[in-house]
């Protein structure tokens, strides 16, 4: 009767009466007391919750030390990072936590020194990607390189918030998925924009699933006018395991038969898919395109209504030209070429260190980061 009268569930009534009963037992004179329910807030950790671009600055800062023949500590990385990003006010411990999130850890050599090292599989993925892209260019491959990615825009997106990490911002949110190339710009008729169904404090990646992505990806493939090289990252919904799929050692005919049986259209020429290395968004030019799109939305967003933001997103995407794509792709290709060369030098610098590292001795504690880590 109480639940019906108050318009709440029976479970809620039971929980409140249980709380009152415990309170009465502890304080029989004062009578029952109840805590007032309040909204829970997730505190934003400004020192460690940095966006992908700032995280990449941290990673490249670490690599710069190795490129100079020096060995970094979290304090050295912090000092160098603050010189590049003047607004960063985090501590050495905050920087160490960022380094851990980027999968750096300290490895101990036989002589007792510790060195900040990147996880082996991250290095392997980066080298594999850079080699593939380098080989394509060296072999004068004429297939257009198509980059795809997803992003989101908050309805409160404006000039004052464009560079904020607003993953916990209030308001509705739209998700955008698209693909493009320096050869022709965005793939025609393949823009996907939809609204998040959950609150703004939910990671937008949870709103994009394999079903949505697969449908969009197949349509995008069918709209490609010629064989292409497709570059995409390693989001979970970009890779869905299916039964009886071809293996890497199967021949081309096996793949073609499987594609036909599953209703996937393809050209007789092969379309190649290359995976971006994890945590390396700087190699994907569509990230720069997203920055352009978000900047235009921010400049024109006056109503802060989700419907208007959606309209602005459509207009901003239409305003992206082939020249915009060419500039962004040229920039990312320069980074890829520079890093391909640096990986060779870096390998020579680190080889004598790696040979003396004790694989059983590594540290994930910021307390191990002190001046004794220096050469």
């Amino acid at each position: 009767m109480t639940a019906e009268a108050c318009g709440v569930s029976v479970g809620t009534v039971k929980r409140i009466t249980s709380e009152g009963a415990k309170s009465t037992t502890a304080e029989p004179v004062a009578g029952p007391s109840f805590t007032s329910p309040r909204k829970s807030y997730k505190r934003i950790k400004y020192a460690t919750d940095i966006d992908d671009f700032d995280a990449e600055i941290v990673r490249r800062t670490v690599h710069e030390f190795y490129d100079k023949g020096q060995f970094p500590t979290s304090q050295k990385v912090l000092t160098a990072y603050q010189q590049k990003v003047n607004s960063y006010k985090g501590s050495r411990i905050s920087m160490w936590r960022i380094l851990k999130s980027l999968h750096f850890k300290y490895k101990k050599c036989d002589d007792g020194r510790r060195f900040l090292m990147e996880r082996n599989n991250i290095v392997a993925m980066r080298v594999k990607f850079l080699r593939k892209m380098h080989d394509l260019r060296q072999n004068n491959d004429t297939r257009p390189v198509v980059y795809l990615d997803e992003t989101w825009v908050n309805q409160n997106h404006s000039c004052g918030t464009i560079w904020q990490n607003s993953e916990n911002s209030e308001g509705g949110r739209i998700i955008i998925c698209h693909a493009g190339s320096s050869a022709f710009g965005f793939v025609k008729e393949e823009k996907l924009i939809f609204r998040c169904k959950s609150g703004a404090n939910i990671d937008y990646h949870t709103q994009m699933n394999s079903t949505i992505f697969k449908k969009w990806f197949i349509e995008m493939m069918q709209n490609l006018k010629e064989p292409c090289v497709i570059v995409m990252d390693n989001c979970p919904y970009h890779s869905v395991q299916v039964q009886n799929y071809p293996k890497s050692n199967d021949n081309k005919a096996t793949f073609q038969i499987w594609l036909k049986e599953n209703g996937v259209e393809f050209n007789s020429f092969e379309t190649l898919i290359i995976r971006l290395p994890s945590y390396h968004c700087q190699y994907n030019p569509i990230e720069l395109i997203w920055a352009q799109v978000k900047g235009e939305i921010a400049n024109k967003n006056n109503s802060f209504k989700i419907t208007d933001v959606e309209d602005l997103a459509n207009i901003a995407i239409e305003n992206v030209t082939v020249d915009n794509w060419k500039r962004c792709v040229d920039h990312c290709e320069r980074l890829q070429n520079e890093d391909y060369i640096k990986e060779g030098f870096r390998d020579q610098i680190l080889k004598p260190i790696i040979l003396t590292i004790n694989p059983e001795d590594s540290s994930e504690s910021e307390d191990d980061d002190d001046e004794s880590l220096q050469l």
Side-chain angles (χ1 to χ4, degrees), residues 53 147-151 153 157 162-163 176-182 184-187 281-282 284-297 313 316-332:
F53 283 102
Y147 293 87
L148 67 86
D149 192 33
E150 304 83 27
T151 191
V153 180
H157 200 63
I162 181 172
W163 300 116
I176 307 172
C177 180
H178 218 329
S181 169
S182 61
F184 46 73
F186 278 120
V187 179
C281 64
Q282 79 277 11
N284 194 346
I286 200 172
E287 297 286 356
L288 301 175
I289 297 294
W290 291 148
Q292 175 183 330
V293 169
K294 289 185 176 183
E296 184 172 335
I297 295 172
I317 289 173
E318 293 299 322
N319 289 338
V320 176
T321 65
V322 176
D323 286 339
N324 296 144
W325 268 100
K326 287 180 179 178
R327 285 195 294 269
C328 294
V329 170
D330 288 344
H331 172 78
C332 290

Side-chain angles (χ1 to χ4, degrees), residues 88-100:
Y88 185 73
K89 305 299 181 184
S91 65
R92 177 182 64 86
I93 294 177
S94 295
M95 177 54 64
W96 171 239
R97 288 172 179 161
I98 292 173
L99 290 168
K100 285 175 63 178

Side-chain angles (χ1 to χ4, degrees), residues 43 45 47-50 58 74 88 91-104 364-366 369:
R43 183 172 65 88
K45 300 178 181 179
T48 56
D49 287 353
I50 60 177
V58 173
S74 57
Y88 185 73
S91 65
R92 177 182 64 86
I93 294 177
S94 295
M95 177 54 64
W96 171 239
R97 288 172 179 161
I98 292 173
L99 290 168
K100 285 175 63 178
S101 70
L102 295 175
H103 300 290
F104 285 96
E364 293 190 356
S365 171
E366 65 269 17
D369 175 26

Side-chain angles (χ1 to χ4, degrees), residues 350-362:
L350 295 178
K351 184 179 291 185
I353 299 172
I354 294 172
L355 291 176
T356 62
I357 282 180
N358 183 351
E360 302 298 327
D361 193 350
S362 63

Side-chain angles (χ1 to χ4, degrees), residues 337-352:
N337 289 330
E338 291 171 2
D339 286 358
Y340 175 79
I341 297 172
K342 288 179 180 178
E343 284 296 336
F345 291 129
R346 197 174 296 139
D347 183 61
Q348 294 301 316
I349 294 172
L350 295 178
K351 184 179 291 185

Side-chain angles (χ1 to χ4, degrees), residues 93-224:
I93 294 177
S94 295
M95 177 54 64
W96 171 239
R97 288 172 179 161
I98 292 173
L99 290 168
K100 285 175 63 178
S101 70
L102 295 175
H103 300 290
F104 285 96
K105 63 171 59 176
Y106 281 101
K107 293 285 188 178
K108 187 176 181 180
C109 290
D110 292 340
D111 60 5
R113 294 177 298 174
R114 293 181 184 272
F115 298 99
L116 193 62
M117 303 292 291
E118 198 170 14
R119 208 169 69 186
N120 291 341
N121 68 317
I122 302 295
V123 176
M125 285 190 291
R126 179 171 64 247
V127 172
K128 181 179 180 181
F129 171 81
L130 292 173
R131 284 178 180 172
K132 281 187 176 180
M133 301 304 291
H134 177 265
D135 290 344
L136 287 173
R137 287 189 283 268
Q138 285 295 106
N139 296 330
N140 296 318
D141 195 304
T142 59
R143 289 175 293 181
V145 180
V146 176
Y147 293 87
L148 67 86
D149 192 33
E150 304 83 27
T151 191
W152 59 268
V153 180
N154 190 277
Q155 74 178 64
N156 295 325
H157 200 63
S158 64
C159 291
T161 63
I162 181 172
W163 300 116
Q164 292 181 5
N165 181 13
S166 52
E167 191 68 31
N168 296 299
S169 301
E170 296 293 336
R173 182 178 299 174
I174 62 172
I175 297 174
I176 307 172
C177 180
H178 218 329
S181 169
S182 61
F184 46 73
F186 278 120
V187 179
K188 299 297 183 183
E189 307 300 328
E190 283 309 313
K191 173 180 58 184
L192 174 63
I193 298 180
F194 62 96
R195 300 182 191 180
C196 276
K197 296 180 180 178
S198 303
N201 61 336
I202 303 298
D203 185 357
Y204 80 91
H205 287 101
T206 62
Q207 298 291 297
M208 189 73 166
N209 56 48
S210 59
T211 302
I212 296 174
F213 179 78
K214 179 181 177 181
K215 181 177 181 297
W216 173 85
F217 185 76
I218 291 175
E219 291 176 353
M220 188 272 295
M221 291 277 286
Q222 293 171 345
N223 276 333
L224 295 176

